[in-house]
Amino acid sequence: MASGRPGPPAGERPFFGHPRGLATLFGTEMWERFSYYGMRAVLVLFLTAPATRGGMGLPETTAVGVYGVYVASVYLLAVVGGWLADRLLGARRTVLVGASVIMGGHLSMAMPMGGGFVWLGLVLIALGSGLLKPNMAALVGELYRHEDDARRDSGYTIFYMGVNLGAFLGIMIVPWLQTGGRWHLAFGAAAIGMLFGLVQYVRGRATLCGAGEEPDHRLTPAEEHRFKVVAGLCLAVAAGGLALWAVSGTLTVDRFALVLTVVTAAVPIAYFAFLFSSHEVTAEERRGLFAYVWLFLAAAIFWLVYDQAGSSLLLFAKKDTNLDVFGFTIPPGWVGNINSLAIIVLAPLFAEMFLKAGTRISTPLKFAIGLVIVGLSFVVMSVAAGVASDGVKVSIMWLLSVYLIQTIAELFLSPAGLSATNKLAPRAFENQLMGVWYLAMALGDSVGGQTYRLTTVVSMPVYYLVLALAAVAAGLLMLLFVRRLRLLMAEHHLPPVPASS
């Protein structure tokens, strides 16, 4: 993305003191998150509901595995989306294609025509999200190419507020529409939300001032031809292998989920090895990447715990929580919405706090704090599960407390992770590294889908406590290396970092 692109139009109104283009990206991401989180709030319930109630009738462990595979695929494909933007389409066009594919996926799920359309819909949503997600975040960073890091962090936090405003609306509306087994009506609402996001994005193109119009490192015609041939062969081999697996009679949802978990773990290892060996990455950029590997692993552990919201915590809300509120029985998916509401309220406060603190609260320190806090949330969850193990439905306040604690952890780690990815990315792989950030989520979610199988051999209180201890231990380990990571990030040509943390 050329640094000499046109500036904002004369007289353009700012958006909360930030470039007007942030409003376009804010609104687009808000509606995309409406569709994504709204559908996700009912997905496991739909998969486990018996066929007589319009569901898929899957066992809980299988449904949670599918959920983990689906969410992991969304983030796994973000690397592909980043590469396509960097080398072929540019970020702006890649986002446009992605949003269109996502809408098609939700429309497929809205069709009450059997499981085939459900699986097709999940595949399309994962593909489209992989194209959209890393490039939306990269476009936000491009708005602050020549500005100080504190303002960029603040801009990402405001953008993140849009994410959670969309999530809040989606989780309120889609589960409510689903009440009474109206699954496909709920999925249709998600499609309409994505349509609104597409309109917002197309209408606001001018406010981006040329950001993402062209790829940073476009392939030559020969390279593009070679890519198309190799991509076509890979797709053909994958499709043929999957078909043979299905014909053999050994293909099951559980086995497919396990294979994808292994792939999800292998991809970041291979990609980091590629980055460290690439001649397009400078010595200074390699030092930044070394620091980023630590942030990546910390984020994977964080998301393993945090994204249980759509699986184990959703099932806990349905089976073990008293959902009667002021005489009204709320949908199970509504409980997790306290997270979105809290972020809408707290994100501006955190943005202001981080803006004033500047570099005094470093990114590695934010990660360490976020990990410890998210671990403590599952200590609370372990106690709640212990109370519910006697067959008593617990107060909704238990889950609300867990979600509030996780919100604070998320505000420390997630916006800082987006910003650090943008700052530490080698220039030759900028959009691709934003996709690698989402690989951390993919790794956490896919492993989280498999760890739920532990519940067949250990009690739920023990399950939550094990995950809690893992997150807290990772956070304390991270804390020991804060100073070293700050130095590595400073050597990546970031602004000078104060000696004290």
Side-chain angles (χ1 to χ4, degrees):
M1 300 166 197
S3 60
R5 71 174 188 272
E12 183 180 73
R13 292 181 294 109
F15 181 66
F16 292 108
H18 290 264
R20 191 66 191 171
L22 185 62
T24 295
L25 301 177
F26 177 101
T28 305
E29 185 76 357
M30 181 190 76
W31 284 113
E32 189 273 330
R33 294 290 87 183
F34 170 95
S35 66
Y36 175 79
Y37 280 103
M39 189 275 282
R40 202 182 80 162
V42 300
L43 179 59
V44 170
L45 300 181
F46 169 69
L47 294 175
T48 56
T52 54
R53 292 185 50 235
M56 298 287 286
L58 299 179
E60 278 188 9
T61 53
T62 301
V64 171
V66 169
Y67 166 83
V69 166
Y70 161 67
V71 177
S73 298
V74 167
Y75 299 123
L76 182 64
L77 291 165
V79 176
V80 178
W83 189 91
L84 287 173
D86 262 343
R87 307 289 178 165
L88 285 176
L89 300 176
R92 189 193 65 79
R93 293 183 187 87
T94 307
V95 167
L96 182 63
V97 173
S100 303
V101 174
I102 291 170
M103 188 176 72
H106 286 297
L107 285 173
S108 179
M109 294 191 71
M111 302 287 185
M113 300 176 67
F117 280 84
V118 173
W119 302 127
L120 174 63
L122 291 176
V123 169
L124 290 176
I125 295 168
L127 286 171
S129 298
L131 294 174
L132 181 143
K133 287 191 68 61
N135 297 301
M136 286 290 291
L139 286 173
V140 172
E142 186 66 13
L143 297 176
Y144 302 91
R145 167 66 63 203
H146 304 296
E147 301 191 30
D148 62 275
D149 296 317
R151 191 163 187 257
R152 183 194 284 131
D153 282 3
S154 177
Y156 269 113
T157 303
I158 291 173
F159 173 74
Y160 207 67
M161 186 170 64
V163 170
N164 287 278
L165 177 59
F168 174 79
L169 294 173
I171 295 172
M172 287 299 294
I173 293 173
V174 174
W176 174 70
L177 290 174
Q178 169 270 314
T179 303
R182 296 173 298 186
W183 306 105
H184 299 285
L185 175 63
F187 297 146
I192 292 173
M194 192 64 253
L195 174 63
F196 289 159
L198 264 171
V199 172
Q200 169 88 16
Y201 186 68
V202 172
R203 287 174 59 88
R205 172 183 172 181
T207 66
L208 301 180
C209 304
E213 287 290 341
E214 296 296 332
D216 276 347
H217 307 278
R218 182 184 289 278
L219 297 176
T220 65
E223 290 172 334
E224 184 173 344
H225 174 73
R226 186 163 56 250
F227 160 72
K228 290 178 179 177
V229 171
V230 172
L233 286 174
C234 289
L235 288 174
V237 170
L242 192 61
L244 288 174
W245 193 6
V247 169
S248 71
T250 60
L251 173 61
T252 65
V253 174
D254 289 332
R255 288 173 179 169
F256 184 77
L258 181 59
V259 168
L260 190 60
T261 300
V262 174
V263 171
T264 305
V267 167
I269 294 173
Y271 195 75
F272 276 119
F274 163 73
L275 287 177
F276 277 111
S277 63
S278 173
H279 68 275
E280 296 183 84
V281 178
T282 66
E284 292 81 4
E285 289 173 336
R286 283 192 183 89
R287 285 193 283 272
L289 280 175
F290 182 77
Y292 189 74
V293 169
W294 281 78
L295 301 181
F296 177 91
L297 293 173
I301 295 171
F302 177 89
W303 296 113
L304 188 157
V305 175
Y306 181 89
D307 271 347
Q308 299 274 324
S311 54
S312 66
L313 298 191
L314 180 62
L315 291 171
F316 186 87
K318 176 187 176 183
K319 298 189 301 180
D320 300 310
T321 304
N322 182 357
L323 298 176
D324 291 332
V325 179
F326 302 116
F328 174 68
T329 301
I330 65 173
W334 278 17
V335 183
N337 223 0
I338 189 65
N339 169 261
S340 302
L341 183 61
I343 285 185
I344 293 168
V345 173
L346 294 177
L349 302 178
F350 273 73
E352 184 66 21
M353 178 182 73
F354 292 143
L355 188 60
K356 289 181 178 179
T359 56
R360 287 176 294 176
I361 305 179
S362 66
T363 295
L365 182 59
K366 290 176 184 176
F367 269 62
I369 293 171
L371 276 170
V372 171
I373 294 175
V374 82
L376 293 177
S377 75
F378 262 32
V379 173
V380 176
M381 196 63 224
S382 178
V383 176
V387 174
S389 63
D390 294 329
V392 177
K393 289 201 170 187
V394 301
S395 167
I396 196 173
M397 295 305 297
W398 284 101
L399 277 178
L400 294 182
S401 299
V402 169
Y403 285 125
L404 284 172
I405 296 170
Q406 289 187 350
T407 297
I408 296 171
E410 182 183 7
L411 284 169
F412 270 98
L413 186 140
S414 192
L418 286 169
S419 182
T421 302
N422 181 261
K423 289 182 286 189
L424 294 175
R427 287 296 298 151
F429 301 96
E430 188 172 37
N431 289 332
Q432 292 177 56
L433 199 70
M434 194 59 75
V436 172
W437 167 250
Y438 293 112
L439 274 183
M441 301 182 187
L443 181 57
D445 288 327
S446 60
V447 173
Q450 296 302 314
T451 59
Y452 191 76
R453 299 184 185 282
L454 292 173
T455 60
T456 60
V457 294
V458 302
S459 66
M460 290 306 299
V462 172
Y463 172 73
Y464 290 124
L465 188 59
V466 168
L467 295 185
L469 293 176
V472 171
L476 295 177
L477 180 63
M478 188 90 176
L479 195 60
L480 295 176
F481 291 92
V482 164
R483 184 182 298 273
R484 176 58 180 158
L485 293 175
R486 284 161 63 92
L487 291 173
L488 285 171
M489 294 173 72
E491 291 170 4
H492 184 258
H493 289 173
L494 294 179
V497 179
S500 64
S501 61

